[in-house]
Amino acid sequence: MLQKTRGIVLRALKYKDASLIVDIYTEALGRASFMVYIPKSKKASVKATLFQPLALVELEADIRPNTSIYKVREAKSFYPFVSLPYEPRKSAIALFLSEFLYRALREEDTNMPLFNYLMHSIVWLDTCKQQFANFHLVFLMRLSRFLGLYPNLEGYGEGDYFDMRAACFSPLPPQMHTDYLQPAEAALLNKLIRMRYDTMRFVPMTRVERARFLTLINDYYRLHIPDFPVLRSLEVLHELFD
């Protein structure tokens, strides 16, 4: 049956000559895959650029039981970007986060709080004019709450370590593994976890710290999500903000 839903583009791959297979995190279905026909005509209403990383789209698709890829009948943008595809630093963040979300979002059920968080975060980045260098760090730490991976912040004290496997602070380093942060980095992580988009500019980070914490966050997700990889776009982001 035909069903309409809004969605956030995670990945688009060319299929044969005039089609795309697009992975989208949708409002109505959770994560789903769609087949989209892209006419070659210049006057076609559906173009491949509609499915750029993190694009906010509205679809009408044929949703059938026991089908892994749904055919799209109509597609359009429900929020045309102002700056995200055109500002190099923002487009690099979008590329990285779309790859990250493609790997991290595996549920196939609707989750409205998560969908709303993603949508509002993307719009915030698109409309922000300056001081967004820490956006992806704050985004990923806040995302962990929706995925059940949010660290335990209780009992933090100056000089504590952060156990990445147990996801908690401790006055002593773990004895059974080496996946932990030293006190200086644990203190900065404690601040990072508490940041919001509108306050993150008040906690300055050097480019070295930013690169280090982006790698640490990727490692944290790898420890808690099976088969989560080291992302290819990670190095691109490091170089762009270097």
Side-chain angles (χ1 to χ4, degrees), residues 107-123:
E107 60 184 61
E108 297 180 355
D109 295 321
T110 182
N111 184 332
M112 281 303 301
L114 174 56
F115 179 84
N116 288 332
Y117 167 70
L118 298 176
M119 181 181 65
H120 291 308
S121 296
I122 294 166
V123 171

Side-chain angles (χ1 to χ4, degrees), residues 49-68:
T49 53
L50 177 63
F51 300 98
Q52 59 195 298
L54 299 188
L56 302 177
V57 297
E58 185 174 25
L59 309 169
E60 184 177 58
D62 189 1
I63 309 299
R64 300 187 181 188
N66 304 317
T67 301
S68 58

Side-chain angles (χ1 to χ4, degrees), residues 12-15 18-22 34-38 48 51:
L13 297 176
K14 187 174 182 180
Y15 178 73
S19 295
L20 296 174
I21 295 179
V22 188
F34 297 87
M35 178 80 71
V36 185
Y37 174 65
I38 307 294
F51 300 98

Side-chain angles (χ1 to χ4, degrees), residues 38-220:
I38 307 294
K40 293 185 177 180
S41 169
K42 293 182 179 180
K43 296 182 179 180
S45 59
V46 178
K47 300 182 183 297
T49 53
L50 177 63
F51 300 98
Q52 59 195 298
L54 299 188
L56 302 177
V57 297
E58 185 174 25
L59 309 169
E60 184 177 58
D62 189 1
I63 309 299
R64 300 187 181 188
N66 304 317
T67 301
S68 58
I69 301 178
Y70 306 120
K71 290 185 178 180
V72 171
R73 298 296 181 89
E74 294 182 9
K76 63 180 181 180
S77 172
F78 76 84
Y79 174 83
F81 285 136
V82 175
S83 65
L84 199 59
Y86 317 113
E87 210 281 356
R89 293 177 300 168
K90 288 186 179 182
S91 60
I93 290 174
L95 179 64
F96 169 72
L97 293 182
S98 64
E99 183 184 5
F100 199 103
L101 292 170
Y102 173 77
R103 299 294 183 180
L105 302 182
R106 303 183 180 186
E107 60 184 61
E108 297 180 355
D109 295 321
T110 182
N111 184 332
M112 281 303 301
L114 174 56
F115 179 84
N116 288 332
Y117 167 70
L118 298 176
M119 181 181 65
H120 291 308
S121 296
I122 294 166
V123 171
W124 189 95
L125 178 61
D126 182 56
T127 56
C128 178
K129 292 183 171 58
Q130 59 185 351
Q131 295 182 312
F132 55 84
N134 292 336
F135 172 85
H136 47 299
L137 304 179
V138 177
F139 175 91
L140 294 177
M141 292 310 303
R142 291 165 65 88
L143 175 68
S144 68
R145 184 187 297 274
F146 294 93
L147 303 183
L149 307 178
Y150 196 66
N152 183 355
L153 305 182
E154 296 181 4
Y156 171 76
E158 186 176 354
D160 278 357
Y161 297 80
F162 180 73
D163 186 330
M164 294 181 66
R165 294 193 182 189
C168 65
F169 294 96
S170 170
L172 298 174
Q175 300 299 308
M176 304 302 293
H177 63 82
T178 58
D179 296 314
Y180 63 89
L181 305 187
Q182 296 288 342
E185 288 187 330
L188 187 53
L189 176 67
N190 185 51
K191 293 181 181 179
L192 175 63
I193 293 172
R194 301 173 190 275
M195 288 184 199
R196 303 192 310 269
Y197 300 143
D198 59 343
T199 63
M200 61 187 182
R201 67 183 184 276
F202 299 123
V203 184
M205 298 179 69
T206 68
R207 62 177 180 81
V208 174
E209 289 172 333
R210 190 177 297 115
R212 168 65 173 161
F213 270 86
L214 187 56
T215 300
L216 289 174
I217 291 172
N218 192 105
D219 291 343
Y220 180 76

